[in-house]
Amino acid sequence: MTAKYAVILAAGQGTRMKSKLYKVLHPVCGKPMVDHVLTQIEKNQMDQIVTIIGHGAEMVKETLKERTEYAVQSKQLGTGHAVLQAESLLGDKDGMTLIACGDTPLFTAATFAELFEYHQSQGAAATVLTANADDPFGYGRIIRNDLGIVERIVEQKDATKEEAAVTEINTGVYCFNNRELFQALHQITNDNAQGEYYLTDVMEVLKKDGKVVAAYQMGNFEESMGVNDRIALSQAGKVMQKRINRTHMANGVTLVDPENTYIDVDVEIGADTVIEPGVQLKGSTKIGADCLIGAHSEIKDSVVGDNVTVTSSVLENAVMHSNTDIGPYSHLRPQAEICQGAHIGNFVEVKKAIVGQNTKVGHLTYVGDATLGKEINVGCGTVFVNYDGINKHQTTVGDYSFIGSGSNVIAPVVLGDHAYVAAGSTITADVEPHAMAIGRGRQVNKAGYYDKYPVAKAAQQTEEAAKNN
């Protein structure tokens, strides 16, 4: 089997992005552009992948890690010069080499596979991946002779009026005979409008040596979209989002309004789950089957089990087990875990806490740094007071306990099983199992006190006027 290699060009800074973040690291649907490219290349069972880095080299390495080898282009002298930096890693090997750009996130593994197959079937030294563009401005043009054979590739700035009118464009993806690629790279020059070493000039070198230069025209121009500015970044995001959403719907997920549903590329969703408009599912989120994710909810890097309802709420790095529900307007912060059958109502915040099986936290409550057992009822307005200004402290509440409304549970404290906290209490000490804790001041009624208020006379006058009317 012929060996397959790849070179990803990711050394450019991308000044047109006008950003502190290097161009290839800008995300599309939750993943940096260069990561999208690498992911699709990896699916073709490659023997070796080399990424050419320059600007932002360390950040690119941190993103892609050991999935690829690296070669550094210290000076940006063109695409041909960039590929040449991989010579020490690939130059003496037999096989096919794919060249792709790190700012083209929409290419698919299937398109790369088709290019490999076509290149091999033609016995070509080089095959360029082309597409037909309605508006070819900015792209290199594929110039063919009367027999349809590729003569050369002309860059936009070097094209004549006739050449600029050609609509078949160079997508920037190529397949080469590996040895012949690196031999030809040493023969190209920078005698052009940009003063750069163009990879496309390799084609003419190969043709002069009598080698076959082929072109494979892909059917979907959208895949070839390169991203050079924020406008193109948003356009690529729309194309990618449409692709992602269609895949989920084909797999049995209902998207009520796909055009206004935002799902990152690595998100997993089970069948018969319904996603309402305005939902954002981000990062490595996993949603189970038969769920309802309500309008305008945001879920990031979280795990949601089966038959879960999320109503207009936010989850981040959290876990909701099966048969749970949350919202509206609640927030699960990192390390929140909601166990099976538990209920999180409206305006509840849970952080670094476990809410046990069938426990109910109805509304207007903060649960932080706590472990709640099963079958607990937490009353409205309860606060688990976990921070003393320096350190966070832990609260543990036993099974079948009851915490009355308006209570403050001040950590560190342990409430035993079947403990009862009276409403309005401030709890600062442990509560034994089956005990009731009351931590509030004794009520005192002051008779006639209202009449001393300055507003009392005005109120009495209003009451009398109302009676007379």
Side-chain angles (χ1 to χ4, degrees):
M1 183 178 292
T2 305
K4 290 185 290 188
Y5 313 109
V7 176
I8 301 174
L9 306 182
Q13 184 173 12
T15 55
R16 280 184 282 174
M17 297 295 287
K18 293 181 171 56
S19 174
K20 295 183 290 296
L21 184 65
Y22 299 102
K23 179 170 69 170
V24 298
L25 297 178
H26 277 266
V28 174
C29 294
K31 182 180 287 188
M33 290 192 287
V34 69
D35 196 340
H36 280 291
V37 176
L38 176 58
T39 297
Q40 297 306 311
I41 289 174
E42 286 173 326
K43 293 179 181 179
N44 280 277
Q45 299 178 325
M46 308 300 293
D47 292 280
Q48 192 172 357
I49 302 173
V50 179
T51 300
I52 309 301
I53 54 178
H55 291 289
E58 293 305 315
M59 293 181 68
V60 175
K61 282 185 176 182
E62 185 178 342
T63 298
L64 303 181
K65 301 189 179 343
E66 297 178 1
R67 295 161 59 193
T68 171
E69 297 178 62
Y70 300 93
V72 177
Q73 185 187 26
S74 55
K75 293 183 179 180
Q76 312 301 298
L77 301 179
T79 52
H81 178 262
V83 175
L84 192 58
Q85 308 314 300
E87 186 175 30
S88 62
L89 296 170
L90 297 176
D92 62 348
K93 298 184 177 182
D94 294 317
M96 302 180 289
T97 297
L98 176 75
I99 310 292
C101 297
D103 60 358
T104 53
L106 299 175
F107 280 113
T108 64
T111 296
F112 292 145
E114 290 166 6
L115 179 60
F116 274 126
E117 184 178 350
Y118 185 83
H119 172 81
Q120 198 163 20
S121 70
Q122 298 300 303
T127 303
V128 56
L129 182 65
T130 75
N132 193 62
D134 294 334
D135 179 10
F137 183 81
Y139 290 92
R141 307 303 201 279
I142 305 299
I143 307 303
R144 297 177 183 263
N145 63 19
D146 294 340
L147 299 176
I149 298 172
V150 176
E151 288 289 332
R152 63 191 184 280
I153 303 171
V154 181
E155 298 298 325
Q156 173 76 41
K157 293 183 179 181
D158 299 311
T160 65
K161 184 177 180 180
E162 292 75 17
E163 290 168 340
V166 173
T167 59
E168 186 179 12
I169 59 94
N170 174 19
T171 67
V173 175
Y174 314 87
C175 191
F176 290 96
N177 174 290
N178 186 68
R179 284 186 181 274
E180 292 175 344
L181 166 64
F182 287 101
Q183 290 169 4
L185 282 170
H186 287 285
Q187 301 177 51
I188 64 175
T189 70
N190 63 347
D191 184 18
N192 52 60
Q194 290 289 91
E196 295 184 349
Y197 295 91
Y198 292 151
L199 179 60
T200 50
D201 288 348
V202 168
M203 308 301 178
E204 291 190 50
V205 172
L206 294 173
K207 285 185 69 65
K208 287 178 181 178
D209 289 343
K211 306 295 184 181
V212 175
V213 175
Y216 176 69
Q217 188 173 123
M218 59 190 291
N220 183 2
F221 171 73
E222 273 188 336
E223 275 193 42
S224 68
M225 184 186 300
V227 175
N228 290 312
D229 56 30
R230 304 296 181 113
I231 297 169
L233 183 68
S234 69
Q235 292 169 340
K238 288 182 179 179
V239 173
M240 180 73 75
Q241 192 63 80
K242 187 175 182 180
R243 184 188 297 175
I244 292 168
N245 289 358
R246 281 184 171 179
T247 298
H248 285 298
M249 288 188 286
N251 290 334
V253 178
T254 295
L255 303 185
V256 176
D257 184 2
E259 287 73 24
N260 291 290
T261 302
Y262 308 94
I263 304 174
D264 282 354
V265 66
D266 290 329
V267 170
E268 299 176 16
I269 308 174
D272 289 318
T273 284
V274 176
I275 311 292
E276 292 184 342
V279 167
Q280 299 179 62
L281 304 179
K282 300 180 177 181
S284 58
T285 291
K286 294 178 174 58
I287 308 288
D290 301 296
C291 295
L292 173 62
I293 310 300
H296 306 293
S297 293
E298 180 180 341
I299 304 177
K300 180 179 181 180
D301 295 323
S302 297
V303 177
V304 176
D306 298 335
N307 195 34
V308 172
T309 298
V310 178
T311 306
S312 301
S313 293
V314 176
L315 284 63
E316 50 180 329
N317 296 100
V319 176
M320 290 188 71
H321 292 273
S322 297
N323 303 305
T324 54
D325 66 281
I326 183 172
Y329 311 118
S330 288
H331 187 182
L332 299 186
R333 290 170 57 195
Q335 299 183 56
E337 181 176 359
I338 312 304
C339 296
Q340 186 166 348
H343 164 69
I344 305 297
N346 53 299
F347 299 102
V348 174
E349 182 177 339
V350 182
K351 188 274 298 183
K352 200 176 180 181
I354 298 173
V355 177
Q357 184 176 346
N358 295 328
T359 287
K360 294 176 175 57
V361 184
H363 30 226
L364 298 165
T365 291
Y366 172 69
V367 183
D369 294 275
T371 300
L372 277 59
K374 64 184 179 182
E375 303 285 353
I376 296 169
N377 185 86
V378 179
C380 175
T382 296
V383 177
F384 287 78
V385 184
N386 58 334
Y387 185 48
D388 63 8
I390 300 174
N391 298 307
K392 299 290 180 70
H393 300 280
Q394 184 75 20
T395 295
T396 301
V397 181
D399 299 341
Y400 301 100
S401 294
F402 181 95
I403 300 177
S405 296
S407 295
N408 295 309
V409 182
I410 301 180
V413 69
V414 176
L415 282 63
D417 294 347
H418 299 274
Y420 190 103
V421 174
S425 292
T426 296
I427 303 301
T428 59
D430 292 352
V431 180
E432 300 85 358
H434 293 267
M436 181 178 73
I438 304 175
R440 60 194 183 201
R442 184 179 297 277
Q443 179 174 327
V444 177
N445 294 341
K446 302 287 187 178
Y449 188 80
Y450 174 78
D451 297 332
K452 297 178 182 180
Y453 275 97
V455 297
K457 185 177 292 186
Q460 290 171 354
Q461 291 173 349
T462 301
E463 289 179 20
E464 291 174 1
K467 291 178 182 178
N468 294 333
N469 291 334

